[in-house]
Amino acid sequence: MRRRLLAMVPSGEDLDVPGSINMWLFVVGELFIFAFYFFVFMMYRTHATADFVGSQRHLNLAVGAGNTVILLTSSYLVALAVQAAREGSHDRARRLVRWTVALGVVFMTIKLGEWAYEVRHGYTFPSDDFFMFYFALTGVHLFHVLMGLGILGLVLHELRTPALQRQFVVEAAGTYWHMVDVVWIVLFALLYVLR
Amino acid sequence: MTATVRPAPVIGGVAPGDRLDLRICWWITVGFYGLFGVIFVLLARVMPPPGADLSTEQIVAFYADHRTTIKIGFGILMVAIGGAAIASGIVAYEMTRMSVGKVFVYTYIVSLSVGALPGCLLAAICCLTATFRADLDPQVTELLFDITFLSFVGSLGCFVANYSILALAILLDENEVFPKWMAYVTIWQIVTELLAAPVFIFRTGPFSWNGVISFWEGTALFGIYMMLLIRLVRRNITTPAAVS
């Protein structure tokens, strides 16, 4: 029975996925974990919608929207980088990944600036349930952006080294960066937009 | 996970083979974690933790209700804690078979050793003190209660280092001692450890020491991680190598 079940699970080599099957498993797992956080957030929000909306007004929608555009643009650039690497234009791919990293750093800088602004105005982690989730969820996301920048750094090393330049590494990094983007879009909707 | 049934890799021409010494260590590891679960969940009743918002009277009542089982449970732990050394040693042994430098192994061992002090021993000793010194001022008992759970759930720096170094070792290892997906399962532990940090701030809600995110989610993912790690070590020490 067990063997039959295992036979139904394709091994990495059998699956024709961009990047690496391990990275896809990681991304799917990450999405489940974030979905759990979003579920808990919505549970708390449902019980105190007015309070959550009241606190949400202290966030700057334009800053959140600006960061969304920055991250979406970076995702577009990493997709172009994957395309360039597939065509063998490794120098172009490297330039595009560098721009992706730069936009990731800009995203982090804006987010940290936003945190500082909120804290200066008295809205801190323990202020209320909304800001508890705001700092925790954006903090966890920021940690993923940081990991993404580490992975993109690895890609730059790959693209710089002619002996490496492995396509699946570039694709796996792109997969991860898109996940970081998708999670942010949901976070943006939940924290900034949802009334 | 098909990778768990593949034969263990041959490293340096030496098959890991079916070694009795490693089998003994593996069984001690399984026994230690089993005992750990019995002590923390059934005897000491610190897993799942009682509420972080209990009143002083409720805390005193908690110790009074579980006095005997806490003494038995953590008393046994004081003797059996050495099992933790074997449990980390057997993973460290697998890491020595990786292509990464020895500094990874040293970091793994030291981070777990230091982490076990606040993450396990301090919590157990505070809990034992509160039960063996039943005539303590209730406020001192409350302090011991707070130290127990803040150190047990909230001590995370060493574990973050531990998971990071293991994940990095697996990703960089060219010998495929552990499958690459195990690195990602390990990275999830880092995230859950970081989300245990807010237990110092919140007494209620998802980020308190018995909260749905800070405790339950982290514990569930840790259970999965531990089972996979033990299973992979078992595969490596018992499966005859594919090529000799």
Side-chain angles (χ1 to χ4, degrees), chain B:
Chain B
M1 303 277 180
T2 50
T4 54
V5 294
R6 284 181 193 154
V10 181
I11 286 138
V14 181
D18 201 354
R19 290 174 49 173
L20 181 64
D21 53 348
L22 295 177
R23 268 178 182 258
I24 290 171
C25 290
W26 186 84
W27 277 107
I28 291 175
T29 303
V30 171
F32 173 73
Y33 281 121
L35 183 66
F36 196 86
V38 170
I39 289 173
F40 277 76
V41 179
L42 298 179
L43 293 172
R45 304 295 177 98
V46 296
M47 277 180 81
D53 57 345
L54 295 189
S55 67
T56 311
E57 293 73 31
Q58 287 173 312
I59 291 169
V60 172
F62 168 78
Y63 285 121
D65 291 347
H66 305 300
R67 176 155 294 134
T68 309
T69 50
I70 288 175
K71 283 178 181 174
I72 295 171
F74 280 149
I76 294 171
L77 187 73
M78 290 300 112
V79 179
I81 187 70
I86 294 173
S88 62
I90 197 160
V91 178
Y93 164 75
E94 290 297 329
M95 289 175 77
T96 62
R97 301 171 57 241
M98 294 180 179
S99 63
V100 295
K102 293 286 179 283
V103 66
F104 284 78
V105 185
Y106 303 145
T107 309
Y108 183 87
I109 295 170
V110 172
S111 58
L112 258 195
S113 308
V114 179
L117 296 177
C120 177
L121 271 180
L122 180 64
I125 289 169
C126 285
C127 219
L128 279 176
T129 310
T131 47
F132 273 107
R133 300 288 181 268
D135 53 347
L136 279 176
D137 181 333
Q139 286 194 317
V140 176
T141 305
E142 187 178 359
L143 175 69
L144 290 170
F145 180 81
D146 274 354
I147 296 174
T148 297
F149 292 102
L150 288 178
S151 66
F152 177 49
V153 185
S155 58
L156 47 95
C158 282
F159 297 106
V160 167
N162 180 260
Y163 295 131
S164 305
I165 209 72
L166 179 60
L168 198 57
I170 296 172
L171 286 175
L172 295 176
D173 172 34
E174 289 168 4
N175 295 340
E176 293 279 339
V177 170
F178 289 141
K180 297 297 178 207
W181 52 258
M182 191 59 202
Y184 298 125
V185 177
T186 310
I187 290 172
W188 290 333
Q189 308 309 309
I190 302 172
V191 178
T192 60
E193 283 289 341
L194 291 175
L195 277 173
V199 299
F200 288 93
I201 299 171
F202 299 104
R203 284 181 171 265
T204 56
F207 299 106
S208 60
W209 72 46
N210 61 337
V212 67
I213 291 179
S214 285
F215 177 77
W216 287 104
E217 187 229 5
T219 306
L221 285 175
F222 176 76
I224 294 170
Y225 160 81
M226 207 25 99
M227 280 194 290
L228 289 171
L229 188 63
I230 288 176
R231 179 76 183 83
L232 287 174
V233 171
R234 171 87 182 164
R235 176 203 72 169
N236 281 1
I237 65 172
T238 58
T239 315
V243 190
S244 59

Side-chain angles (χ1 to χ4, degrees), chain A residues 33-42 52 107 111 115 125 129-145 180 183-184 186-188 190-192, chain B residues 191 195 198 206-207 213 217:
Chain A
I33 293 173
F34 271 105
F36 176 71
Y37 298 151
F38 299 152
F39 174 74
V40 176
F41 172 81
M42 286 310 292
F52 271 61
F107 176 89
K111 179 48 66 194
W115 278 4
F125 199 17
D129 280 359
F130 176 81
F131 278 102
M132 171 181 78
F133 278 109
Y134 167 77
F135 282 106
L137 295 181
T138 54
V140 171
H141 179 260
L142 212 56
F143 176 71
H144 284 80
V145 175
V180 170
V183 168
W184 172 256
V186 180
L187 267 183
F188 173 65
L190 291 182
L191 294 173
Y192 292 79
Chain B
V191 178
L195 277 173
F207 299 106
I213 291 179
E217 187 229 5

Side-chain angles (χ1 to χ4, degrees), chain A residues 21-59:
Chain A
I21 182 65
N22 292 316
M23 179 55 87
W24 280 98
L25 286 174
F26 183 48
V27 163
V28 170
E30 290 276 44
L31 290 177
F32 271 108
I33 293 173
F34 271 105
F36 176 71
Y37 298 151
F38 299 152
F39 174 74
V40 176
F41 172 81
M42 286 310 292
M43 289 285 287
Y44 274 79
R45 193 183 186 279
T46 309
H47 288 112
T49 311
D51 293 343
F52 271 61
V53 172
S55 296
Q56 184 196 47
R57 291 187 201 287
H58 301 297
L59 296 184

Side-chain angles (χ1 to χ4, degrees), chain A residues 47-109:
Chain A
H47 288 112
T49 311
D51 293 343
F52 271 61
V53 172
S55 296
Q56 184 196 47
R57 291 187 201 287
H58 301 297
L59 296 184
N60 190 328
L61 184 63
V63 174
N67 247 353
T68 308
V69 172
I70 287 170
L71 219 47
L72 278 172
T73 311
S74 74
S75 257
Y76 176 64
L77 292 180
V78 92
L80 288 181
V82 169
Q83 200 71 38
R86 275 184 190 155
E87 290 161 3
S89 316
H90 293 110
D91 282 343
R92 181 161 183 270
R94 214 168 69 205
R95 275 197 304 278
L96 288 162
V97 171
R98 270 204 210 116
W99 275 107
T100 308
V101 170
L103 288 181
V105 172
V106 171
F107 176 89
M108 288 186 77
T109 311

